[in-house]
Amino acid sequence: MSRTIQAPRGTFDVLGEQALARERLEADARRILERAGYSRIETPTFEATELFARGVGESTDVVQKEMYTFADDGDQSYTLRPEGTAPVCRAYLEHGMHKLPQPVKLWYLSSFFRRERPQAGRYRQFWQVGAEAIGSDDPAVDAEIVLLLAELLEAVGTKGVRLRIGSLGSPEARVAYREQLQGYLRAHEAELSAEVVSRIDLNPLRAFDADHPGTRRVMERAPRLLDALAPEDAEHFAEVLAFLDAAGLAHEVDTTLVRGLDYYTRTVFEFTSDALGAQSGVGGGGRYDGLIEQIGGPHTPGMGFAAGVERMLMAAGAQPTAPVPLDLYVAYAGASHRAAAFRLAADARRAGHAARLELGGRSLKGQLKQADRSGARYVAILGDEGTSLKDMETGEQRTVEPDTVMHHIRGDL
Ligand code: HAM
């Protein structure tokens, strides 16, 4: 026998209860987002690599080492989407959505791909629910996006949720702040981890993310971006917080919040759950007022979130779901009744009942055992003596005309 083939590392199959839980989550997302005026968008699974290189940012881990990239059409480079915001912005431009009333509100539930080291809650193919509001820089849009994700997490039953929010301000303030931070980090190089030191030039903000104890000590005293914001950005952030307060949503202002993607400006936020292990981020997002320009469009503000489907469900804990109750199990005695049994099951399903037929080649005795296990409300038995119908709740069994089985199930007879 040849070696069996397994699913790739960091990927998984969705089976049984999990499939039902995901369907429920999708229904929750649709209800919550469509009620707020978001419409569904699907974009391709792969895009031109340049979209992510320019959109997500060359200096990010995602672009530097986590993308699944391949060549096609000669020398064209494509990448399996590692995230959904840049593709949605590309679609906004490509379809001239700036002509629609702004902001354009779109949502998605799709799979994404990152070559990360697999562990619990971190996969190489994972699913996100995301929402993007493009074309408005109103702080109410920021607050609405945060609230919608809070509502989704509540509907899904995600436990131990905490919201952190900050502001990154404008790119100009960030450049000035970046230089200030680089100066501070260089002055403390000896106390920092080698990795942080190697990234001082490329991405000094990531130092706030480090686990290394020496680095953490240094970062406690590091200058904060929030103190360096331009007055209009500080005002914008204050308004976002005021909207969240008005909506009664608890939040912690975090001056060190950094996100793994480069396109953020102004508001950034993250929901974590203490029901998760090391990968505690269930969802997050922020404003990306420069992204559309980065990918070749006119200046267009945008704001959005994405939340991991697997992490939301993990943090919600196992929630047993009731299987679809079976109305009718069709059993038959001998091959000569097989076709009639097949038709009865098919007719019952067409009439809207949950109906199943023996497909495993079992004897009548075996079929009846299966019927018992299936929890079916009725069992029909087709044999030489006609059709009998057993009510499994009352134990009552009677002979019926084959074409009246459905009426009996419905309680008409
Ligand atoms: P992100 O923080 O990179 O943001 O991902 C959002 C969520 O996706 C995370 O909080 C996490 O739950 C889930 N996630 C990310 N990577 C993995 C992985 N390897 N395995 C399992 N789950 C994962 C974004 O992707 C932005 N596009 C969010 C956004 C939308 N910003 C503005 N609009």
Side-chain angles (χ1 to χ4, degrees), residues 96-114:
M97 291 191 224
H98 63 279
K99 294 189 210 109
L100 303 173
Q102 307 292 300
V104 173
K105 294 171 158 189
L106 300 163
W107 79 279
Y108 49 89
L109 195 166
S110 318
S111 62
F112 297 91
F113 306 84
R114 295 182 193 175

Side-chain angles (χ1 to χ4, degrees), residues 62 66 82-86 108 112-114 116 119 121-132 145 259-261 263-264 269-271 276 279-288 303-312:
V62 170
E66 294 172 0
E83 65 97 50
T85 309
Y108 49 89
F112 297 91
F113 306 84
R114 295 182 193 175
E116 296 199 77
Q119 63 181 78
R122 188 159 76 190
Y123 311 99
R124 290 182 163 182
Q125 179 179 10
F126 57 96
W127 273 255
Q128 284 182 347
V129 174
E132 314 289 350
I145 281 285
R259 310 242 328 124
L261 312 164
Y263 47 62
Y264 292 113
F269 68 98
E270 200 155 75
F271 284 89
L276 296 174
Q279 303 303 314
S280 63
V282 266
R287 185 161 273 293
Y288 44 86
M303 168 78 200
F305 77 70
V309 167
E310 295 75 30
R311 292 195 197 167
M312 283 191 276

Side-chain angles (χ1 to χ4, degrees), residues 361-393:
R362 291 181 182 82
S363 67
L364 182 59
K365 201 169 149 211
Q367 292 177 48
L368 293 177
K369 215 187 265 173
Q370 284 292 111
D372 226 18
R373 271 195 208 135
S374 72
R377 173 67 207 276
Y378 291 96
V379 180
I381 305 159
L382 279 63
D384 294 339
E385 298 81 43
T387 300
S388 70
L389 189 67
K390 185 171 178 185
D391 183 333
M392 302 298 275
E393 229 169 75

Side-chain angles (χ1 to χ4, degrees), residues 178-359:
R178 208 178 132 105
E179 280 167 17
Q180 187 193 1
L181 183 62
Q182 281 167 334
Y184 176 81
L185 291 174
R186 282 202 194 92
H188 292 84
E189 256 189 49
E191 299 153 73
L192 303 172
S193 75
E195 206 204 331
V196 168
V197 172
S198 73
R199 291 178 143 261
I200 291 180
D201 286 331
L202 203 57
N203 200 348
L205 274 163
R206 289 306 292 269
F208 284 110
D209 251 0
D211 292 326
H212 177 256
T215 307
R216 291 184 75 100
R217 263 194 307 278
V218 172
M219 297 321 287
E220 273 167 25
R221 284 168 286 117
R224 302 278 190 240
L225 175 57
L226 215 48
D227 301 325
L229 294 187
E232 63 274 20
D233 292 332
E235 174 64 18
H236 189 273
F237 186 51
E239 285 185 49
V240 174
L241 297 182
F243 280 120
L244 293 182
D245 286 335
L249 186 68
H251 55 268
E252 295 160 45
V253 173
D254 187 338
T255 54
T256 67
L257 188 60
V258 275
R259 310 242 328 124
L261 312 164
D262 264 2
Y263 47 62
Y264 292 113
T265 52
R266 293 188 157 176
T267 310
V268 284
F269 68 98
E270 200 155 75
F271 284 89
T272 52
S273 163
D274 59 21
L276 296 174
Q279 303 303 314
S280 63
V282 266
R287 185 161 273 293
Y288 44 86
D289 293 346
L291 172 53
I292 291 197
E293 252 167 311
Q294 283 291 321
I295 62 170
H299 175 75
T300 313
M303 168 78 200
F305 77 70
V309 167
E310 295 75 30
R311 292 195 197 167
M312 283 191 276
L313 291 175
M314 273 169 79
Q319 290 179 328
T321 38
V324 179
L326 190 61
D327 300 315
L328 177 68
Y329 188 99
V330 185
Y332 55 91
S336 58
H337 301 289
R338 201 169 136 88
F342 185 88
R343 220 190 65 200
L344 176 55
D347 284 349
R349 283 195 295 263
R350 220 173 285 138
H353 301 293
R356 221 179 292 160
L357 170 76
E358 156 63 18
L359 292 171

